[in-house]
Amino acid sequence: IPLWPVALTSQIYLNMASSYEKLEMVDNSKAALRNIELEYLTAGERRNYHLLQYRLASITNDNKSMSIHLVAYFEGRQDLATLKADPYFNAMVDAFLKLEENSKRDLFSQFDDRKNVASAYLTYLEAERIYYKGEKEQALSLLNWIKDNFSQDESLMAMVE
């Protein structure tokens, strides 16, 4: 079975969802997004998908969904400098800081097996927060995860040291 019909259908649904969002038809936009098969979209289309999901989540102040989709939006970024230069960086940090602890842990586990610099940076922020709260063992565990997975990123390593 050729894959192009699935890819084309996913692209069409992405375009529909974007159009519905511009028309402020949030429910229709969300319905179109549910029909998309992400693995068939190009990297750029996946980024647009996650930005659209972020914008829809921001309408209802769903910080967990906002965080997940912005971290996914940053997938493929190679270093912290590139990440911080993006206009959505502060939105990601703000949404993350508003999460409950269990939602933060869920976010970390969702991106645990991926080399996602955004996830590593948020992990660092959480390690810093819990370190000053007195949970030094947990903080060191988080920092060690960053060291083990992002040793090639000098700016992250400088923060962790």
Side-chain angles (χ1 to χ4, degrees), residues 17-46:
S18 179
S19 296
Y20 284 134
E21 187 248 352
K22 289 174 185 163
L23 294 170
E24 298 180 5
M25 299 172 75
V26 174
D27 291 336
N28 290 4
S29 183
K30 288 180 179 181
L33 288 170
R34 283 192 291 274
N35 291 305
I36 293 173
E37 296 194 41
L38 274 178
E39 64 271 16
Y40 295 105
L41 296 178
T42 66
E45 290 166 341
R46 280 193 302 274

Side-chain angles (χ1 to χ4, degrees), residues 16-161:
M16 285 174 51
S18 179
S19 296
Y20 284 134
E21 187 248 352
K22 289 174 185 163
L23 294 170
E24 298 180 5
M25 299 172 75
V26 174
D27 291 336
N28 290 4
S29 183
K30 288 180 179 181
L33 288 170
R34 283 192 291 274
N35 291 305
I36 293 173
E37 296 194 41
L38 274 178
E39 64 271 16
Y40 295 105
L41 296 178
T42 66
E45 290 166 341
R46 280 193 302 274
R47 285 172 46 92
N48 289 338
Y49 168 88
H50 289 297
L51 275 181
L52 181 53
Q53 287 280 28
Y54 158 73
R55 288 194 307 267
L56 293 172
S58 67
I59 290 170
T60 58
N61 291 319
D62 181 352
N63 290 304
K64 184 174 182 177
S65 186
M66 290 165 59
S67 297
I68 289 168
H69 288 291
L70 284 176
V71 170
Y73 161 79
F74 286 116
E75 196 97 40
R77 295 293 165 96
Q78 299 301 316
D79 57 47
L80 190 56
T82 309
L83 182 76
K84 286 185 171 182
D86 192 283
Y88 289 98
F89 173 77
N90 288 331
M92 177 191 67
V93 172
D94 290 344
F96 175 76
L97 293 175
K98 293 175 184 171
L99 293 178
E100 299 290 327
E101 281 190 45
N102 60 343
S103 293
K104 289 178 183 177
R105 303 274 188 249
D106 290 345
L107 179 72
F108 296 149
S109 66
Q110 187 168 346
F111 291 92
D112 189 36
D113 61 339
R114 302 187 216 171
K115 300 282 186 190
N116 188 308
V117 175
S119 176
Y121 182 75
L122 296 178
T123 301
Y124 168 77
L125 291 180
E126 180 65 4
E128 186 178 59
R129 185 188 72 77
I130 64 175
Y131 179 85
Y132 289 113
K133 199 171 125 183
E135 299 173 21
K136 294 180 182 179
E137 291 290 320
Q138 280 186 302
L140 291 175
S141 174
L142 291 175
L143 293 175
N144 285 332
W145 176 82
I146 295 171
K147 287 179 186 176
D148 292 344
N149 290 285
F150 296 90
S151 59
Q152 76 286 357
D153 188 327
E154 293 176 13
S155 56
L156 273 173
M157 290 302 100
M159 285 183 351
V160 171
E161 296 301 325

